[in-house]
Every structure is written in structure tokens, then in C-alpha cells.
């Protein structure tokens, strides 16, 4: 692995990645003259805008979810590398700091295929985490959803949108921020404010993240479907007919998942779900000690190869709820896509579109490989 350089460099701080990245093949794609037209020609020949993503025509509804694409340089490089959906990392209504370095570690579940099952004892007992980035890749990420001030991200998001080639779509991601002294109404209003700020950039659609621990330690907003319902009503008032997708973590209960669908899609406020986000695990080093330094970092979210089974399960259950309720919504499948076969498995499970964060970080050619496989 020594000659390989992921476009987000896990050995540098988030701030250095933001200022200096992307690296590796993505840096080359940005530097090369004519790379954009070459990439869009490549995309167009693979599937000339035959698919849609929340109503927008796309070459192939495959791309990168919120996370490793920190700003317009990253999203533009992703477009040039043939990822037709590029998600701009989650933004907030205000500047927000990043967790201390390191923010990424490799994780090594015990099972032979490297998978982690939601609810399994291993998640609480401890999963080995270190800097041995073996393939197929599983990692943990611990950033705390940092954000620039809107005065910085709004013009940059505008530039990101403008850099999309034919059949490519920039997908903005946002979330609410809970700060000391905020009432529930303030918290709801913060989501609506952020959505409005995104709409001002000219975005044609957006994804609202409800699946990071933003409700206090390890409590996720998506585990409270009724609150998500109230928030999406406020967001809908702010953005009108702009399509809204909700990012969900793994939700074990079918009843809770159906309540989420009915509280959002059922009320006309949401047009799709993107799932899954990371799965929380206790991370330990080889001596059994806490792997990530600092208070509140005993647990962290795992992504990549380890969580593909859980992601496929969520997508299949959402597709079954879509069938059962007759409600119309899009499903964006995420979690552990590291190969063309994984992309195909998500499509078979009922996903309308598919994205890869960890898999794309460790294989900048993933979109090209999937297009060639079709
Ligand atoms: C480096 C990194 C940063 C991430 N940051 C965010 C984020 O800001 N917002 C979000 O909704 N998800 C974030 N995610 C989660 C991904 O969008 C995705 O749901 C998760 O990683 C599972 O997909 P994967 O197995 O392809 O990585 C991040 C993931 C990674 C790897």
C-alpha cells in the first residue's frame, strides 16, 4: 500500500486536507488540462444521461456520499474521475471545529469476511483499530462534522455546482447544530436556516443528515422519527419544491423505519432516503486500550467493507416498505461499496442510486470500473 495515496490523506489533519487536497489520482485529475471533457466523454459513452437522481438527469446514478469531498476542489476532481454524483461534505449554519487528529483509523473486525453485524457483542466489546490499511478496506472516521462559516462554503458550493459536467450532479449535504441553551424550536429552525442557505447557492436538491451523533453522545436524530417529521416540515417551508433526501443510520426495527417514512414522505416533505451512515463501535488498540485519543471518543463510526451487509439490509427493508405503503420515494444505497459487484448488489436490493465513501477513497477508479462492468 506504500505507493498508494488516497485523495483524502488520512496521515494529515483535516485542516491540511481542506487547504491542500485532494491528493493522489484526484490531484492529477484537477491538474490535467482537458480532464473534465475526457471524463464527461467517458461518462457519456457509458450511459448517456439515462438515469435520474431526485429528478435530475445523470449518466450513472453512482457517486460519493457526504464525507471525503471537503470542498469544490474535491467535488470537481470526483466529477472528472467519472463519479456522476458528488456530495459536498455536510455543512452547518455556522463554523464548527473538527475533532483532534487522528480522524481516521483502519478497523479489523474478527469475522472471516471482515463484516460487522448491527447489535453484535463485538461492537461493545471492542474492535481492533490501527494504521494498517488492509484491503478490502474498513475504517473508522471521527471528525465531529466540521463546517466552514456560510460566508466561506456558500461561494465554494456555487463553484462546485458550476463544475459538474453533463449528466453530473453536485449533491449538497447539511445538518442542524445543537448548541448550549437552544430550545427544540431553535434546533428545528437551524435546519431550515441551513437549508435556505444551500438553496441560495443554486442547488437543485439536498440531503439532510440525521445520522451523526448530533443529539448528544451516541444519540442520533434519526432515532426520533417524529422530530425528523417536524424538522422536515420546517425545511420544506424554507426550500419549497427543491427535492430533499434524508440520510439515515441503520435502524433495526421495521416499525420505526415505517414510522420514519410515514412522518416524512407520507406528509410530502421528503423525496428520498440515503442509507446507511457508519455503525458505532468501541475501538481498541492491540492492547485493548481506547484507540482514539480524548474524552468521548471511546466509540466511533465504522464504514467500508465491514458494513455492507447492514447497508444492503436497510435498503431491502426500505424497498419493502415502499412496496407495502405505496409511497413514492428514492433510495440511495450507501455502505461498503468497494467493487462493481457491491454496486450491483445494492441495485438488486432496491437502490435507485448508489454511493461509496471509503471504497472510493481507496480506489479512485471505482466509478470507471463500475461503468465498464455494466
Ligand atoms: C472520511 C469520512 C467522512 C464522513 N463525513 C460524513 C459527513 O460529514 N456527513 C455524513 O452524512 N456522512 C459522513 N460520512 C459517512 C458516509 O457518507 C457514509 O454514510 C459511510 O461512510 C458509509 O459508506 P462507506 O462504507 O462507503 O464509507 C463520512 C464518511 C467518511 C469515510
Amino acid at each position: 500500500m506504500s505507493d498508494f495515496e488516497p485523495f483524502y490523506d488520512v496521515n494529515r489533519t483535516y485542516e491540511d486536507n481542506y487547504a491542500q487536497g485532494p491528493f493522489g489520482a484526484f490531484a492529477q485529475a484537477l491538474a490535467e488540462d482537458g480532464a473534465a471533457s475526457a471524463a464527461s466523454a467517458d461518462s457519456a459513452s457509458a450511459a448517456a444521461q439515462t438515469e435520474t437522481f431526485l429528478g435530475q438527469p445523470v449518466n450513472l446514478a453512482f457517486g460519493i456520499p457526504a464525507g471525503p469531498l471537503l470542498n469544490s476542489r474535491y467535488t470537481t476532481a470526483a466529477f472528472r474521475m467519472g463519479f456522476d454524483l458528488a456530495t459536498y461534505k455536510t455543512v452547518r449554519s455556522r463554523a464548527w471545529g473538527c475533532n483532534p487528529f487522528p480522524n481516521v483509523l483502519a478497523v479489523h473486525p474478527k469475522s472471516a469476511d471482515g463484516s460487522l453485524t448491527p447489535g453484535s457483542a463485538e461492537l461493545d466489546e471492542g474492535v481492533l483499530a490501527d494504521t494498517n490499511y488492509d484491503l478490502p478496506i474498513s475504517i473508522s472516521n471521527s471528525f465531529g462534522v466540521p463546517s466552514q462559516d456560510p460566508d466561506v462554503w456558500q461561494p465554494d458550493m456555487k463553484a462546485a455546482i458550476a463544475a459538474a459536467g453533463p449528466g453530473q450532479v453536485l449533491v449538497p449535504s447539511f445538518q442542524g447544530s445543537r448548541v448550549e441553551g437552544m430550545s427544540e424550536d431553535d434546533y428545528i429552525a437551524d435546519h431550515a436556516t441551513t437549508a435556505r442557505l444551500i438553496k441560495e447557492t443554486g442547488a437543485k436538491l439536498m440531503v439532510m443528515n440525521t445520522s451523526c451523533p448530533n443529539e448528544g453522545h451516541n444519540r442520533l436524530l434519526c432515532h426520533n422519527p417524529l422530530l425528523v417529521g417536524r424538522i422536515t416540515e420546517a425545511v420544506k417551508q424554507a426550500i419549497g419544491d427543491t427535492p430533499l433526501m434524508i440520510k439515515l443510520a441503520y435502524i433495526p426495527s421495521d416499525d420505526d423505519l415505517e414510522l420514519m417514512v410515514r412522518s416524512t414522505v407520507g406528509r410530502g416533505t421528503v423525496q428520498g432516503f440515503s442509507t446507511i451512515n457508519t455503525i458505532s463501535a468501541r475501538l481498541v488498540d492491540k492492547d485493548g486500550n481506547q484507540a482514539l485519543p480524548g474524552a468521548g471518543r471511546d466509540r466511533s463510526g465504522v464504514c467500508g467493507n465491514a458494513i455492507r451487509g447492514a447497508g444492503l439490509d436497510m435498503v431491502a427493508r426500505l424497498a419493502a416498505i415502499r412496496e407495502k405503503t405505496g409511497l413514492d420515494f428514492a433510495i440511495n444505497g450507501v455502505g461498503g461499496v468497494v467493487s462493481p459487484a457491491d454496486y450491483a448488489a445494492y441495485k438488486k436490493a432496491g437502490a435507485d442510486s448508489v454511493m461509496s465513501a471509503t471504497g472510493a477513497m481507496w480506489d479512485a477508479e471505482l466509478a470507471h470500473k463500475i461503468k465498464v462492468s455494466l
Side-chain angles (χ1 to χ4, degrees), residues 148-215:
Q148 302 293 321
D149 186 90
D151 285 349
V152 176
W153 65 249
Q154 275 194 308
D156 188 54
M157 189 177 280
K158 226 175 176 168
I161 291 169
Q168 300 188 317
V169 176
L170 189 281
V171 183
S173 163
F174 75 100
Q175 72 176 53
S177 301
R178 206 191 254 296
V179 293
E180 193 82 27
M182 228 180 201
S183 67
E184 187 151 280
D185 283 349
D186 294 339
Y187 181 57
I188 293 170
D190 183 74
H191 287 81
T193 301
T194 317
R196 194 179 300 113
L197 290 168
I198 288 182
K199 188 164 174 167
E200 285 171 11
T201 68
K204 298 194 183 76
L205 46 88
M206 59 188 84
V207 178
M208 184 175 96
N209 182 23
T210 67
S211 50
C212 286
N214 42 11
E215 291 289 279

Side-chain angles (χ1 to χ4, degrees), residues 291-365:
L292 281 167
R297 293 178 96 194
D298 54 327
R299 297 184 76 93
S300 181
V302 175
C303 46
N305 181 62
I307 68 165
R308 184 169 52 257
L312 286 167
D313 177 61
M314 262 292 275
V315 165
R317 287 165 51 227
L318 262 179
I321 288 171
R322 181 164 61 180
E323 187 78 26
K324 175 185 157 190
T325 61
L327 290 168
D328 184 25
F329 56 89
I331 302 174
N332 182 49
V334 187
V337 175
V338 300
S339 73
D342 303 336
Y343 165 85
Y346 269 97
K347 293 290 283 187
K348 196 165 167 227
D352 303 289
S353 56
V354 180
M355 292 184 183
S356 170
T358 309
M361 285 168 77
W362 264 267
D363 184 359
E365 291 296 326

Side-chain angles (χ1 to χ4, degrees), residues 65-67 89-90 141 143 209 247 276-277 303-304 334-336 356-358:
K89 184 166 166 59
T90 305
N141 81 77
F143 290 84
N209 182 23
K247 176 85 173 281
I276 57 176
N277 209 309
C303 46
V334 187
S356 170
T358 309

